[in-house]
PDB file of all heavy atoms in Angstrom:
ATOM      1  N   GLU A   7     222.134 175.803-280.409  1.00 94.00           N
ATOM      2  CA  GLU A   7     221.758 174.490-279.870  1.00 94.00           C
ATOM      3  C   GLU A   7     220.568 174.584-278.909  1.00 94.00           C
ATOM      4  O   GLU A   7     219.968 173.581-278.549  1.00 94.00           O
ATOM      5  CB  GLU A   7     222.978 173.831-279.191  1.00 94.00           C
ATOM      6  CG  GLU A   7     223.459 174.461-277.887  1.00 94.00           C
ATOM      7  CD  GLU A   7     224.103 175.852-278.045  1.00 94.00           C
ATOM      8  OE1 GLU A   7     224.349 176.291-279.190  1.00 94.00           O
ATOM      9  OE2 GLU A   7     224.343 176.509-277.006  1.00 94.00           O
ATOM     10  N   THR A   8     220.209 175.800-278.478  1.00 96.00           N
ATOM     11  CA  THR A   8     219.125 175.955-277.494  1.00 96.00           C
ATOM     12  C   THR A   8     218.081 176.927-278.021  1.00 96.00           C
ATOM     13  O   THR A   8     218.418 178.077-278.323  1.00 96.00           O
ATOM     14  CB  THR A   8     219.683 176.532-276.165  1.00 96.00           C
ATOM     15  OG1 THR A   8     220.861 175.819-275.809  1.00 96.00           O
ATOM     16  CG2 THR A   8     218.662 176.416-275.054  1.00 96.00           C
ATOM     17  N   ASN A   9     216.846 176.469-278.153  1.00 96.00           N
ATOM     18  CA  ASN A   9     215.825 177.425-278.550  1.00 96.00           C
ATOM     19  C   ASN A   9     215.320 178.197-277.331  1.00 96.00           C
ATOM     20  O   ASN A   9     215.651 177.872-276.188  1.00 96.00           O
ATOM     21  CB  ASN A   9     214.692 176.756-279.350  1.00 96.00           C
ATOM     22  CG  ASN A   9     213.814 175.854-278.494  1.00 96.00           C
ATOM     23  OD1 ASN A   9     213.614 176.089-277.314  1.00 96.00           O
ATOM     24  ND2 ASN A   9     213.282 174.796-279.119  1.00 96.00           N
ATOM     25  N   VAL A  10     214.509 179.240-277.590  1.00 96.00           N
ATOM     26  CA  VAL A  10     214.122 180.136-276.495  1.00 96.00           C
ATOM     27  C   VAL A  10     213.282 179.425-275.431  1.00 96.00           C
ATOM     28  O   VAL A  10     213.342 179.786-274.250  1.00 96.00           O
ATOM     29  CB  VAL A  10     213.367 181.387-277.010  1.00 96.00           C
ATOM     30  CG1 VAL A  10     214.320 182.340-277.712  1.00 96.00           C
ATOM     31  CG2 VAL A  10     212.190 181.022-277.879  1.00 96.00           C
ATOM     32  N   LEU A  11     212.530 178.403-275.849  1.00 97.00           N
ATOM     33  CA  LEU A  11     211.701 177.700-274.856  1.00 97.00           C
ATOM     34  C   LEU A  11     212.574 176.922-273.885  1.00 97.00           C
ATOM     35  O   LEU A  11     212.402 177.018-272.666  1.00 97.00           O
ATOM     36  CB  LEU A  11     210.705 176.777-275.568  1.00 97.00           C
ATOM     37  CG  LEU A  11     209.852 175.903-274.644  1.00 97.00           C
ATOM     38  CD1 LEU A  11     209.043 176.760-273.675  1.00 97.00           C
ATOM     39  CD2 LEU A  11     208.921 175.000-275.446  1.00 97.00           C
ATOM     40  N   GLU A  12     213.536 176.169-274.452  1.00 97.00           N
ATOM     41  CA  GLU A  12     214.452 175.415-273.571  1.00 97.00           C
ATOM     42  C   GLU A  12     215.207 176.382-272.671  1.00 97.00           C
ATOM     43  O   GLU A  12     215.368 176.147-271.465  1.00 97.00           O
ATOM     44  CB  GLU A  12     215.444 174.594-274.409  1.00 97.00           C
ATOM     45  CG  GLU A  12     214.805 173.435-275.138  1.00 97.00           C
ATOM     46  CD  GLU A  12     215.572 173.039-276.413  1.00 97.00           C
ATOM     47  OE1 GLU A  12     216.621 173.665-276.723  1.00 97.00           O
ATOM     48  OE2 GLU A  12     215.101 172.125-277.089  1.00 97.00           O
ATOM     49  N   ALA A  13     215.651 177.475-273.263  1.00 97.00           N
ATOM     50  CA  ALA A  13     216.422 178.447-272.483  1.00 97.00           C
ATOM     51  C   ALA A  13     215.576 179.014-271.347  1.00 97.00           C
ATOM     52  O   ALA A  13     216.046 179.116-270.207  1.00 97.00           O
ATOM     53  CB  ALA A  13     216.919 179.574-273.395  1.00 97.00           C
ATOM     54  N   ALA A  14     214.319 179.370-271.644  1.00 98.00           N
ATOM     55  CA  ALA A  14     213.467 179.965-270.609  1.00 98.00           C
ATOM     56  C   ALA A  14     213.200 178.962-269.492  1.00 98.00           C
ATOM     57  O   ALA A  14     213.189 179.311-268.306  1.00 98.00           O
ATOM     58  CB  ALA A  14     212.149 180.435-271.222  1.00 98.00           C
ATOM     59  N   ARG A  15     213.023 177.685-269.872  1.00 98.00           N
ATOM     60  CA  ARG A  15     212.801 176.660-268.840  1.00 98.00           C
ATOM     61  C   ARG A  15     214.021 176.539-267.928  1.00 98.00           C
ATOM     62  O   ARG A  15     213.883 176.425-266.710  1.00 98.00           O
ATOM     63  CB  ARG A  15     212.492 175.313-269.507  1.00 98.00           C
ATOM     64  CG  ARG A  15     211.067 175.236-270.014  1.00 98.00           C
ATOM     65  CD  ARG A  15     210.732 173.855-270.515  1.00 98.00           C
ATOM     66  NE  ARG A  15     209.340 173.756-270.921  1.00 98.00           N
ATOM     67  CZ  ARG A  15     208.907 173.122-272.006  1.00 98.00           C
ATOM     68  NH1 ARG A  15     209.774 172.529-272.807  1.00 98.00           N
ATOM     69  NH2 ARG A  15     207.631 173.084-272.286  1.00 98.00           N
ATOM     70  N   GLN A  16     215.227 176.576-268.551  1.00 98.00           N
ATOM     71  CA  GLN A  16     216.454 176.504-267.738  1.00 98.00           C
ATOM     72  C   GLN A  16     216.552 177.714-266.810  1.00 98.00           C
ATOM     73  O   GLN A  16     216.919 177.593-265.640  1.00 98.00           O
ATOM     74  CB  GLN A  16     217.688 176.460-268.651  1.00 98.00           C
ATOM     75  CG  GLN A  16     217.869 175.117-269.338  1.00 98.00           C
ATOM     76  CD  GLN A  16     218.843 175.188-270.514  1.00 98.00           C
ATOM     77  OE1 GLN A  16     219.613 176.152-270.635  1.00 98.00           O
ATOM     78  NE2 GLN A  16     218.820 174.167-271.368  1.00 98.00           N
ATOM     79  N   ARG A  17     216.217 178.884-267.358  1.00 97.00           N
ATOM     80  CA  ARG A  17     216.306 180.103-266.547  1.00 97.00           C
ATOM     81  C   ARG A  17     215.360 180.026-265.355  1.00 97.00           C
ATOM     82  O   ARG A  17     215.721 180.369-264.224  1.00 97.00           O
ATOM     83  CB  ARG A  17     215.951 181.325-267.397  1.00 97.00           C
ATOM     84  CG  ARG A  17     217.002 181.664-268.446  1.00 97.00           C
ATOM     85  CD  ARG A  17     216.482 182.671-269.455  1.00 97.00           C
ATOM     86  NE  ARG A  17     217.319 182.663-270.656  1.00 97.00           N
ATOM     87  CZ  ARG A  17     216.902 182.972-271.874  1.00 97.00           C
ATOM     88  NH1 ARG A  17     215.631 183.324-272.068  1.00 97.00           N
ATOM     89  NH2 ARG A  17     217.724 182.939-272.892  1.00 97.00           N
ATOM     90  N   ILE A  18     214.134 179.575-265.615  1.00 98.00           N
ATOM     91  CA  ILE A  18     213.150 179.511-264.529  1.00 98.00           C
ATOM     92  C   ILE A  18     213.575 178.468-263.495  1.00 98.00           C
ATOM     93  O   ILE A  18     213.472 178.686-262.287  1.00 98.00           O
ATOM     94  CB  ILE A  18     211.748 179.225-265.110  1.00 98.00           C
ATOM     95  CG1 ILE A  18     211.246 180.495-265.808  1.00 98.00           C
ATOM     96  CG2 ILE A  18     210.773 178.788-264.028  1.00 98.00           C
ATOM     97  CD1 ILE A  18     210.028 180.319-266.666  1.00 98.00           C
TER      98      ILE A  18
END
Side-chain angles (χ1 to χ4, degrees):
Chain A
E7 70 291 351
T8 313
N9 71 31
V10 287
L11 176 59
E12 290 153 1
R15 282 187 176 138
Q16 286 164 17
R17 290 167 198 152
I18 287 168

